């Protein structure tokens, strides 16, 4: 299946710092999605991107759909302790059926 | 409010047992997915279904089967559970043009 390379694998940051993570692939995707997972729970959608070049914000979160359709990034500004969790990117190919995930970025925020 | 419900939060089964993980969604979604989540590996797709009685193998289908007799229900079956199938299992559903919604996850331990 299509491989999504997500980086970094983990981040340890100070409260108030900005965070950036990204996903790349050798395949083209029709949709990019960013999820956050809290311990013991299922992932919850943060941002959905449907058009190449699209830049979308959700509060302190900003994500972009790469112009080549093969990459996406997520930025979190002014991090707070409740940002702690695992962040996943996901790509939906043009057949619109299956969906692949990156390995996740584990974020730790120190107060 | 959208809902994906997995039948159990925690399960402990013995090696060789047949195990059923059930997932129900109330959003009339065509597509349903089963993933397993292991540390450092992210979410790996086991099987997905794009319609009733239709199924497609994901990246790691070995040792698993699925059943989709009704649109709202997608079952994951471990024919003969093994210790290497100890994992967190996540079910998700989506339409063709929206993000996926996840259940709360089932943590399966095979002893």
């Amino acid at each position: 299946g299509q491989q999504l390379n997500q980086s970094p694998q983990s981040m340890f940051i100070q409260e108030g710092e900005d965070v950036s993570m990204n996903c790349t692939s050798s395949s083209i995707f029709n949709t990019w999605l960013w999820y956050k997972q809290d311990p013991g729970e299922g992932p919850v959608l943060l941002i959905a991107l449907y058009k190449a070049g699209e830049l979308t914000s959700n509060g302190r979160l900003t994500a972009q759909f790469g112009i080549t359709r093969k990459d996406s990034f997520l930025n979190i500004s002014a991090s707070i302790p409740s940002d702690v969790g695992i962040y996943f990117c996901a790509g939906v190919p043009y057949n619109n059926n299956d969906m692949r995930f990156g390995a996740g970025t584990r974020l730790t925020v120190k107060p | 409010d959208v809902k994906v419900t997995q039948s159990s939060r925690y399960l402990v089964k013995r090696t060789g047992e047949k195990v059923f993980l059930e997932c129900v969604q109330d959003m009339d979604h065509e597509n349903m997915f089963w993933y397993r989540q292991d540390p450092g590996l992210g979410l790996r797709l086991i099987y997905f279904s794009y319609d009733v009685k239709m199924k497609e193998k994901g990246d790691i289908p070995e040792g698993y089967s699925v059943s989709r007799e009704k649109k709202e229900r997608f079952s994951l079956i471990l024919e003969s559970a093994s210790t290497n199938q100890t994992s967190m299992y996540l079910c998700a559903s989506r339409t063709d043009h929206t993000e996926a919604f996840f259940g709360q996850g089932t943590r399966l331990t095979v002893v």
Side-chain angles (χ1 to χ4, degrees):
Chain A
Q2 297 98 340
Q3 198 82 6
L4 292 189
N5 301 305
Q6 185 172 350
S7 65
Q9 197 171 31
S10 61
M11 299 184 76
F12 295 83
I13 61 169
Q14 208 67 40
E15 183 177 359
E17 288 184 7
D18 296 343
V19 172
S20 185
M21 59 192 79
N22 69 83
C23 266
T24 61
S25 175
S26 57
S27 303
I28 290 173
F29 288 101
N30 195 32
T31 300
W32 282 96
L33 307 167
W34 285 93
Y35 286 85
K36 183 191 177 202
Q37 185 181 32
D38 292 323
E41 302 293 329
V44 174
L45 182 75
L46 297 174
I47 292 181
L49 302 158
Y50 299 105
K51 292 181 185 175
E54 179 181 357
L55 183 72
T56 297
S57 292
N58 178 8
R60 293 179 295 106
L61 277 60
T62 302
Q64 183 156 32
F65 191 145
I67 199 74
T68 64
R69 295 185 172 273
K70 295 182 179 181
D71 63 313
S72 177
F73 72 75
L74 174 71
N75 288 341
I76 305 172
S77 63
S79 58
I80 59 178
S82 62
D83 290 335
V84 165
I86 304 177
Y87 292 79
F88 291 100
C89 63
V92 180
Y94 274 92
N95 66 11
N96 231 350
N97 289 333
D98 63 346
M99 189 169 59
R100 295 295 197 275
F101 282 78
T105 296
R106 183 179 292 274
L107 179 64
T108 302
V109 180
K110 292 179 278 188
Chain B
D1 200 18
V2 297
K3 201 91 171 144
V4 179
T5 304
Q6 293 182 228
S7 52
S8 305
R9 288 295 294 261
Y10 300 94
L11 270 181
V12 180
K13 296 292 181 180
R14 294 195 181 279
T15 300
E17 274 193 76
K18 190 169 186 175
V19 181
F20 292 86
L21 302 184
E22 307 284 351
C23 177
V24 177
Q25 51 99 359
D26 64 359
M27 297 164 284
D28 202 37
H29 285 170
E30 301 89 4
N31 305 297
M32 296 187 75
F33 306 82
W34 275 106
Y35 296 87
R36 67 176 279 177
Q37 182 179 15
D38 300 290
L41 297 177
L43 278 66
R44 292 181 293 166
L45 183 63
I46 305 172
Y47 268 96
F48 68 98
S49 168
Y50 55 89
D51 203 350
V52 175
K53 296 192 187 294
M54 306 304 288
K55 60 186 178 185
E56 294 278 348
K57 292 180 180 179
D59 297 324
I60 51 164
E62 296 78 19
Y64 303 94
S65 62
V66 290
S67 172
R68 185 127 181 244
E69 295 297 316
K70 293 185 177 181
K71 193 175 186 180
E72 66 270 19
R73 186 180 297 269
F74 192 36
S75 303
L76 180 69
I77 303 154
L78 286 65
E79 295 290 341
S80 177
S82 63
T83 54
N84 63 12
Q85 292 179 308
T86 291
S87 187
M88 168 75 104
Y89 290 87
L90 289 161
C91 172
S93 75
R94 65 185 290 266
T95 66
D96 284 345
H97 303 290
T98 67
E99 68 272 18
F101 297 89
F102 281 86
Q104 77 278 27
T106 297
R107 186 164 291 283
L108 172 68
T109 302
V110 182
V111 297

